[in-house]
Amino acid sequence: GNSVTQMEGPVTLSEEAFLTINCTYTATGYPSLFWYVQYPGEGLQLLLKATKADDKGSNKGFEATYRKETTSFHLEKGSVQVSDSAVYFCALSRNTGGFKTIFGAGTRLFVKA
Amino acid sequence: DVKVTQSSRYLVKRTGEKVFLECVQDMDHENMFWYRQDPGLGLRLIYFSYDVKMKEKGDIPEGYSVSREKKERFSLILESASTNQTSMYLCASSLVVQGNTGELFFGEGSRLTVL
């Protein structure tokens, strides 16, 4: 079946550090891949997405590249800020007569000033 | 701006009570979903709906039911709340158009505590 595995947290970084959160997936066919972010006290919101192999999604300084050969979609940011502290969810979606989205367990990021 | 609104941010209920969680979206989306979020488990799909009066079970439907009488409203019902249903409940919606990738729009969540 379809599944998403992402690195366990929490991840604690100092401001301006480089961030990587690993995500790998298992899916049949060609899913779309997403990163959602959940800031404290809020629901999830889309951070970025990629819909086919070798696509790069980017937003707010974050990037992730759809790697079909390694079934990965790792999230990166070159210089994190305190305001990036949140929980990050990797997810995949396939149209199986209607979209169903599968989420990873989430990775909590703390950024210290 | 698109919006998904969940009626209650925080609820405290007693074991055995019937609980209604309401969700309304103003984007004319066909698809609506209910997830529960628990630490270390991510989001798990409870029920979803592709159209009015239509519903399908997700991965963890036991102990829950849903109602979709109008396109914009999707309700989650706990017929007899139990302590293991203490959780954060998230409603989401998405659009059905050709080429759509299934992006979800979420409400802010309803944190339910069952005593």
Side-chain angles (χ1 to χ4, degrees):
Chain A
N2 299 327
S3 66
V4 175
T5 303
Q6 62 183 103
M7 63 188 286
E8 287 189 30
V11 174
T12 302
L13 296 174
S14 296
E15 209 164 22
E16 300 183 3
F18 183 85
L19 169 71
T20 300
I21 300 178
N22 290 335
C23 172
T24 57
Y25 67 91
T26 302
T28 55
Y30 302 95
S32 294
L33 301 175
F34 305 84
W35 279 99
Y36 287 86
V37 59
Q38 184 179 34
Y39 298 105
E42 299 183 10
L44 279 72
Q45 59 186 272
L46 180 69
L47 179 60
L48 54 83
K49 67 179 181 182
T51 58
K52 61 183 186 296
D54 299 325
D55 265 4
K56 178 185 283 188
S58 61
N59 186 27
K60 300 182 181 179
F62 291 89
E63 293 183 339
T65 301
Y66 191 143
R67 301 285 188 200
K68 192 161 177 63
E69 64 276 12
T70 55
T71 62
S72 65
F73 193 54
H74 305 320
L75 182 68
E76 296 181 336
K77 186 174 186 183
S79 176
V80 294
Q81 305 300 312
V82 171
S83 57
D84 294 326
S85 297
V87 182
Y88 293 82
F89 292 90
C90 186
L92 68 83
S93 175
R94 287 189 61 234
N95 189 351
T96 56
F99 286 103
K100 283 181 65 176
T101 302
I102 308 297
F103 288 88
T107 303
R108 184 175 294 277
L109 170 66
F110 292 104
V111 180
K112 303 181 297 185
Chain B
D1 203 10
V2 297
K3 198 161 180 65
V4 178
T5 303
Q6 295 184 227
S7 55
S8 303
R9 292 294 304 275
Y10 302 94
L11 303 94
V12 179
K13 299 292 181 180
R14 296 207 175 274
T15 301
E17 281 193 78
K18 191 169 185 176
V19 181
F20 292 88
L21 300 179
E22 305 283 342
C23 175
V24 177
Q25 50 95 3
D26 64 0
M27 299 167 281
D28 203 33
H29 284 177
E30 291 85 356
N31 297 340
M32 297 189 74
F33 306 82
W34 276 106
Y35 289 88
R36 65 175 282 176
Q37 180 183 6
D38 300 289
L41 298 177
L43 277 70
R44 293 179 291 167
L45 183 62
I46 304 172
Y47 267 96
F48 58 102
S49 170
Y50 293 142
D51 203 350
V52 176
K53 296 193 184 296
M54 177 273 174
K55 60 186 178 185
E56 288 201 27
K57 293 179 180 179
D59 300 317
I60 52 164
E62 295 78 18
Y64 303 94
S65 62
V66 291
S67 172
R68 193 163 181 203
E69 296 296 319
K70 294 185 177 181
K71 188 176 185 180
E72 67 271 18
R73 186 179 299 269
F74 192 37
S75 302
L76 180 69
I77 303 156
L78 288 67
E79 294 289 344
S80 178
S82 63
T83 54
N84 63 13
Q85 293 178 310
T86 292
S87 187
M88 170 71 87
Y89 291 87
L90 292 168
C91 176
S93 70
S94 71
L95 187 62
V96 176
V97 292
Q98 188 169 2
N100 183 38
T101 54
E103 173 187 347
L104 293 172
F105 295 85
F106 283 88
E108 291 188 320
S110 298
R111 183 167 293 282
L112 171 67
T113 301
V114 182
L115 302 176

